[in-house]
Amino acid sequence: MNAPLLLLAFTLGLAVLVAVLRREHVVAWLLAGIGAGLAALLVFAVRLDEAGGIFGIPIKVSGTWTIVGRSLVLGVSNQSAVGLVYLIASFLFAGAYVARPGRLFYAAGLVVVGLVAASLMVVPFLYAAVLLECMAVVAVLILSPPDQPGLRAPMRMVVLYTLGMIALLVAGWQADILGAGAAPAEAARTATALAILGFALLLAVPPFHVWLPSSAGESHPYALAFVILVSQAGALFLVLRFVDAYAWLREDAALFAGARWAAIGIAAFAALWGMAQRSLARTAVYAVLADTAIILLAFSSMSAGGYQLALGLTGARVISLSVWALGASVLRNAGAGDTSEELAGIGYRAPLATATVLVGLFSLAGFPLTAGFPGRWAVMASGGEEALAVVGTLAAISLAAVRWTSTVFRSPREFALPETTTLERFLLGAGILLCLLLGLFPQLLYPWVVNALSGLTGLAGG
Amino acid sequence: MIALGGTASVLVALAAGAACAAAILAARRGVMIAALFIQFVCAALLFSSLPIALVIAYCIVGACVCGILAVTSASTGAAGETRQAGIPSGMWFRLVAVVLVALASMSLARAAIGAGDAAVPGVPIGAGLLMGLGLLQIGLSEEPLRVGSGLMSVIGGFEIGYTTVETAIALHGLIIGIPLLIALVVAYLQVLPAAGSETVR
């Protein structure tokens, strides 16, 4: 038995089963949520390449699956990362009961998670670029559900991921020529430039973010949140593996200085555009871009602590964005709309969903006492331009959130929204509590997420 | 492994470029899909260092892709065409753009790939033409069918160049399979309006 084959076969089998049962919402929801959670648990708990047994039957689970001369490896270097991706998926599937992002969400979501997990396990890791491209193609089914015709944004995402894949494959070829050790900066210039381009495309860094605002205007908020969180987690782990593998990249101080200034530029752009939006979904998308800038700032510190912080911020984003998306989905499903005109006074009609949206948005902004704040506080602690960028984005996105607060509590419009069920109220309330709890006790989240870096010896060692 | 001579490879590369240009200029979807198939075959002939099985597999993928796109276009009743407002779409504009991009991408690709000893003369020309014209097609339209066709051209062009530097069969197998996934997604996006109206009913 080998773990990668078991894991991927289980995920694919579950996806097929969920696709067959897609019209039975509760069954599909339970299968996807519990299945992804179970997969996460197994990945965290499995003892690889060690003799063990179940009910007296001797079993040894190998961590390597060789296929067409290449390997998928699950081991100490990636076990936490793979488990984390499944855990994120399970968490998001749980909220989908209320969000209802479309019939294909669970099945396509499981395939997407399987592909991201495969991208984390594949050796050589450059194959991950091709698997992430496949993931982007499958994600079209999530962003553009069958009941929503003619969306342009998903194809834009596929185009950008294709270009990213090409850039990374060429960068990988150049990197193989240079080798894993130190290399002269002059010789490494082309590979570095191509790697930066590829990662910018995969991480949707401006100006390659165009699919995000378009999707925000068209796709279901929860579907968009799922695709952003899972795809960017995969892309971030690929960045870390790439940097971990090549010393000439890891030790290039100019590259990290460039990343810091790029992050400050992205933060300024996202903060300004975030404040100017009249669409709730687009405000959240620019808040996500601002968050990406903060993650990049943490990454650019060129230290093990900075890489860990980048991962921790990614974990906090999962909570913030999914809580926002949960509330926004409830409002959208009730026919409330997305613009400031349509949402004026909605706070009186759907107070819990509105509160969830606002708490999620404040948390994305990194407002104190929310899940997004502790990571920003740590980035700010280094002082200098980083602190200014963090304070600037925090203030700008918080200001946008305050403006939305004033909009949703403007004099109420005369319309009725459907009553929320007990389970909906429970999940919305749990989302708000989670955001606040992790803001007060970040130690509940960060050690889990940060552990994903432990297998990358080049980075973990500093 | 297919070993084309210098002149033959250049002719195949130019045929691939001409097919890609035809896909951009064609107003009818049927012509565009036929041109796409020619691109697949020409690109496969330029996969200079791949085993013959993968070359044949790429041709089969091309046939499947074009079959899927043709059937979907026919079934959605949109075999005719379709240019979007807001994007320059006049024939002369597209013709000039095709010529300029073809010349620029050929010279760029020859500078980038042509320096390699192993590359036959047609490889940089074919890779450059398909990637450049594919990107042009993506830029000129937002319609899924045309964007998908452009993407497949870009991937085909990239693969022509990439076969000269990367020998891993598994990786090429994965890349060769991507157009099939893209075709399925394009078909899905094309049939969506019908599904949407059904839901409304």
Side-chain angles (χ1 to χ4, degrees), chain A residues 21-58:
Chain A
L21 298 168
R22 65 188 181 280
R23 287 173 201 278
E24 304 294 329
H25 182 239
V26 177
V27 179
W29 169 65
L30 282 173
L31 280 174
I34 295 173
L38 199 64
L41 203 67
L42 288 174
V43 170
F44 282 126
V46 71
R47 300 177 76 172
L48 296 161
D49 300 315
E50 279 180 31
I54 299 175
F55 303 121
I57 305 163

Side-chain angles (χ1 to χ4, degrees), chain B residues 69-84:
Chain B
L69 296 180
V71 168
T72 315
S73 294
S75 65
T76 52
E81 178 53 23
T82 83
R83 292 270 174 197
Q84 275 169 318

Side-chain angles (χ1 to χ4, degrees), chain B residues 7-68:
Chain B
T7 314
S9 72
V10 171
L11 287 175
V12 170
L14 290 175
C20 196
I24 296 172
L25 298 173
R28 296 192 65 81
R29 288 180 174 183
V31 178
M32 202 203 78
I33 292 168
L36 185 63
F37 181 67
I38 295 170
Q39 277 178 62
F40 268 97
V41 175
C42 293
L45 291 173
L46 290 170
F47 290 169
S48 50
S49 54
L50 285 190
I52 191 77
L54 272 185
V55 173
I56 293 170
Y58 190 65
C59 290
I60 294 171
V61 165
C64 293
V65 162
C66 295
I68 291 168

Side-chain angles (χ1 to χ4, degrees), chain A residues 68 70 104 127 130 133-134 137 140-141 144-150 152 155-156 158-159 162-163 165-166 169-170 173, chain B residues 135 138 142 144 147-148 151 154-155 158 162 165 168 170-171 174-175 178 181 185-186 188-189 192-193 195-196 199:
Chain A
V68 207
R70 301 287 147 174
L104 291 177
Y127 283 46
V130 185
E133 155 77 357
C134 295
V137 178
V140 171
L141 304 182
S144 196
D147 53 353
Q148 221 178 332
R152 290 172 302 174
M155 277 312 278
R156 287 183 184 172
V158 175
V159 169
T162 304
L163 298 179
M165 172 194 77
I166 289 173
L169 287 176
V170 180
W173 162 59
Chain B
L135 284 173
I138 291 169
E142 286 201 288
V147 174
L151 264 181
V154 171
I155 292 171
F158 168 70
Y162 200 52
V165 296
L171 183 57
L174 270 175
I175 297 173
I178 289 175
L181 274 179
V185 161
V186 167
Y188 170 76
L189 289 174
L192 272 190
T199 307

Side-chain angles (χ1 to χ4, degrees), chain B residues 50-157:
Chain B
L50 285 190
I52 191 77
L54 272 185
V55 173
I56 293 170
Y58 190 65
C59 290
I60 294 171
V61 165
C64 293
V65 162
C66 295
I68 291 168
L69 296 180
V71 168
T72 315
S73 294
S75 65
T76 52
E81 178 53 23
T82 83
R83 292 270 174 197
Q84 275 169 318
I87 297 174
S89 59
M91 174 60 88
W92 284 109
F93 171 81
R94 280 181 283 147
L95 194 59
V96 171
V98 162
V99 172
L100 289 176
V101 170
L103 290 173
S105 51
M106 257 198 300
S107 55
L108 271 174
R110 286 179 74 172
I113 313 173
D117 298 331
V120 290
V123 166
I125 297 173
L129 280 174
L130 286 187
M131 287 187 81
L133 293 175
L135 284 173
L136 178 67
Q137 186 162 17
I138 291 169
L140 283 179
S141 177
E142 286 201 288
E143 188 197 345
L145 181 63
R146 288 187 180 275
V147 174
S149 162
L151 264 181
M152 290 176 215
S153 303
V154 171
I155 292 171

Side-chain angles (χ1 to χ4, degrees), chain A residues 170-217:
Chain A
V170 180
W173 162 59
Q174 294 263 314
D176 281 346
I177 294 171
L178 291 168
E186 196 70 19
R189 190 174 290 162
T190 312
T192 307
L194 283 165
I196 291 171
L197 176 67
F199 290 130
L201 284 156
L202 296 193
L203 289 168
V205 165
F208 307 116
H209 69 294
V210 285
W211 68 272
L212 281 174
S214 321
S215 290

